[in-house]
Amino acid sequence: MASDVGSNQSVERALTVLRVFTAGRSELRVSDVAKLADLGLSTASRLLATLEAAGFVDRDPVSGLYRLGLDTVSLGGAVLNSHPVHREARQIAQNLAADLGLGVNVAVRRDASLFYLLNFEGRQAPRAFVLAGQRNPLHATGLGKSLLTGLTPLERRGLLPTAALVAYTPRTITTHEQLDAELDRTAARGYGSELEELALGRACVAAPIRDGAGNVVAALSVSGPLSAIDLQNREVALSRIVIEAADSISIGLGYVGPAHHPSAVSL
């Protein structure tokens, strides 16, 4: 029994070490890993050596810094390829990015944040990094708003306490009353929008994706710089395109309608 407990602790610590590489800097010293993972220096060094031998971290021979190894890509690829939303959405999103020249993203909810399953960049919305696997706040994004329409007001308050409604820009929604009104509008229109609520100079239009039971399981967005997305003149056209794309993915997941709306809950 003691051996099992020790083995479990070793696995948990190894996973903690891997996670510290996803939280900020991509290259870390042993001492950095030890501090971020709350481990002793010798324990962190031993775990990194084990993970390096397994191909899950790489060590730069010159600088001595560690980074995630390419074998983690194999795991990530296997996860994405087996995810039903990713399978249904990938080609649709890729075609949309090419047609519009904007970024197209698909995300699911993971606890109190959105988690990107995939993204494609159009020529007018290039990125120097991959969004897949990254997280963003629910209340400050069009994707997040679309995902939150699948919850009741009471469920949203349980998931996102007021302190979690952080302001990222002067435009960010920071109260549940504001969020309720915005999500009522999102549900009524069938799409959500975001204008410089997470980052200045960027905007998006998003729509929910439903499964066979009508539950909101993901969301799709079209995003880009203000100059490219031009919400003032293109919001209506883009919203139709986004809704149609999200509906196509929903149909692929078995959704036949009508839409499922969370029942109203008095607060």
Side-chain angles (χ1 to χ4, degrees), residues 95-109:
N95 293 345
L96 203 55
D99 292 342
L100 295 175
L102 298 170
V104 178
N105 317 290
V106 174
V108 297
R109 181 171 66 84

Side-chain angles (χ1 to χ4, degrees), residues 25-251:
R25 290 158 50 198
S26 59
E27 294 187 325
L28 300 168
R29 298 170 297 180
V30 176
S31 58
D32 297 326
V33 172
K35 181 178 179 180
L36 292 168
D38 194 22
L39 297 171
L41 194 62
S42 61
T43 300
S45 180
R46 175 175 54 82
L47 289 169
L48 285 167
T50 300
L51 290 168
E52 182 183 10
F56 291 113
V57 298
D58 292 332
R59 180 178 179 274
D60 188 293
V62 177
S63 67
L65 297 175
Y66 285 90
R67 68 176 71 90
L68 287 177
L70 288 177
D71 279 18
T72 58
V73 178
S74 299
L75 287 178
V79 172
L80 292 177
N81 288 335
S82 66
H83 197 288
V85 174
H86 186 276
R87 288 201 307 267
E88 293 298 332
R90 180 175 174 79
Q91 194 61 58
I92 291 172
Q94 186 173 19
N95 293 345
L96 203 55
D99 292 342
L100 295 175
L102 298 170
V104 178
N105 317 290
V106 174
V108 297
R109 181 171 66 84
R110 294 279 287 178
D111 300 321
S113 61
L114 69 85
F115 183 94
Y116 291 97
L117 283 183
L118 60 88
N119 80 288
F120 291 100
E121 302 90 29
R123 61 191 178 278
Q124 299 180 68
R127 287 185 182 272
F129 54 90
V130 175
L131 277 178
Q134 296 196 33
R135 297 173 185 255
N136 259 332
L138 293 165
H139 70 288
T141 58
L143 281 168
K145 293 174 190 175
S146 294
L147 290 167
L148 286 173
T149 60
L151 301 178
T152 65
L154 190 60
E155 288 170 335
R156 293 196 293 265
R157 282 161 172 75
L159 181 70
L160 298 172
T162 301
L165 303 181
V166 176
Y168 294 90
T169 76
R171 293 178 176 268
T172 308
I173 291 173
T174 56
T175 70
H176 277 289
E177 290 72 24
Q178 291 174 312
L179 188 59
D180 289 342
E182 180 65 14
L183 294 181
D184 285 345
R185 184 165 172 256
T186 298
R189 297 186 304 176
Y191 74 94
S193 61
E194 173 217 332
L195 180 61
E196 296 189 298
E197 293 175 44
L198 180 63
L200 295 175
R202 297 191 66 84
C204 82
V205 176
I209 295 168
R210 300 178 184 275
D211 64 9
N215 299 311
V216 175
V217 294
L220 176 143
S221 74
V222 167
S223 64
L226 294 182
S227 59
I229 199 165
D230 189 16
L231 276 190
Q232 183 175 354
N233 296 310
R234 299 179 68 190
E235 182 171 347
V236 173
L238 288 175
S239 65
R240 289 174 181 167
I241 293 170
V242 167
I243 290 171
E244 288 178 4
D247 284 350
S248 295
I249 298 167
S250 298
I251 291 169

